[in-house]
Amino acid sequence: MATIATKRLVLITGANGGIGFELAAQLMKKGSYHVLLGSRSLEKGNAAVTELQSRELPGSVELLEIDVTNDDTIERAASSVQRNHGKLDILVNNAGISAMSPPFRQQMRDAFDTNATGPACMSIAFAHLLRKSTASPRIVNISSGVGSIARRLDTSSPMYKAQHIQYRASKTALSMVTACHFVEFGPEIKVFAYDPGFTVSSLGPHNNIESGARSAADSVMPLIDVLEGKRDDEAGKLLHNTGVYPW
């Protein structure tokens, strides 16, 4: 049986539910991963860890308290990983919000803080640990095709009429964060943006089966291909399950 020291170490932010939780579960099924389950709520994080451990999966998991809008928690988390593991193989910047509570200026602030500034700060804080990896280190920023400027202007796009400027703009900003870190951290660390698609989650009121959202399990499987190096020739781009979105 693989020990924690021999497993790939993956940190997933916002992993107490939705896509982050499902990604943790699917990676643990493989047995070759140790998951650092990032959660800003200790209560929800502990509940998620307990649920994963109850499934008796071959992989392993531990809770890591992280609020991507709080630098103190990010620094403590990075120090904890340094102290306990000495390196990191994969960082998945998954935490995100729709920021739909008015007023509009606050919506913009909240969306950018969590969806763009948070991943940027996380990647910078953990870059030195990723550089210590010998297992093809990578950063995957969970994004959205609605952040594509080209698709926003395309009248044939299925998301053409969707509004939510704060969410769209924050994901566009995340694309620039991805591009900058692709240049700054590469080629040693591979950096991607990835859109898992419209998925059942707590992101917004319409992320449910009734509105046509697909299951987290269906959204996560193509994402694992990115984590495992099957799309390395597309690093530095905004990927989705079957291709690449234009910026």
Side-chain angles (χ1 to χ4, degrees), residues 62-77:
E62 69 179 91
L63 176 62
L64 198 61
E65 182 184 9
I66 296 179
D67 177 349
V68 301
T69 68
N70 185 314
D71 289 335
D72 289 341
T73 72
I74 293 174
E75 291 172 8
R76 286 198 299 269

Side-chain angles (χ1 to χ4, degrees), residues 52-111:
L52 289 169
Q53 291 174 334
S54 73
R55 299 182 186 186
E56 298 183 349
L57 302 170
S60 48
V61 61
E62 69 179 91
L63 176 62
L64 198 61
E65 182 184 9
I66 296 179
D67 177 349
V68 301
T69 68
N70 185 314
D71 289 335
D72 289 341
T73 72
I74 293 174
E75 291 172 8
R76 286 198 299 269
S79 295
S80 175
V81 176
Q82 170 69 63
R83 182 172 59 254
N84 296 326
H85 303 285
K87 54 103 176 186
L88 181 66
D89 298 313
I90 302 171
L91 171 61
V92 181
N93 284 312
N94 168 71
I97 60 171
S98 55
M100 297 176 68
S101 299
F104 178 68
R105 183 177 294 277
Q106 193 60 48
Q107 290 177 338
M108 291 291 286
R109 286 172 174 162
D110 291 344

Side-chain angles (χ1 to χ4, degrees), residues 163-235:
Q163 300 304 316
H164 306 306
I165 293 175
Q166 72 280 10
Y167 185 73
R168 282 184 177 272
S170 68
K171 291 300 186 179
T172 305
L174 181 59
S175 290
M176 180 55 79
V177 170
T178 301
C180 287
H181 285 172
F182 171 77
V183 173
E184 293 168 16
F185 298 156
E188 185 180 7
I189 301 172
K190 295 178 175 64
V191 184
F192 307 79
Y194 183 84
D195 173 17
F198 187 38
T199 303
V200 174
S201 72
S202 60
L203 181 65
H206 302 297
N207 289 76
N208 51 53
I209 295 175
E210 292 74 19
S211 298
R214 62 172 175 252
S215 71
D218 288 340
S219 293
V220 158
M221 296 313 295
L223 171 57
I224 292 177
D225 287 344
V226 180
L227 269 59
E228 298 195 327
K230 296 179 182 178
R231 300 185 66 176
D232 279 3
D233 59 335
E234 297 171 297

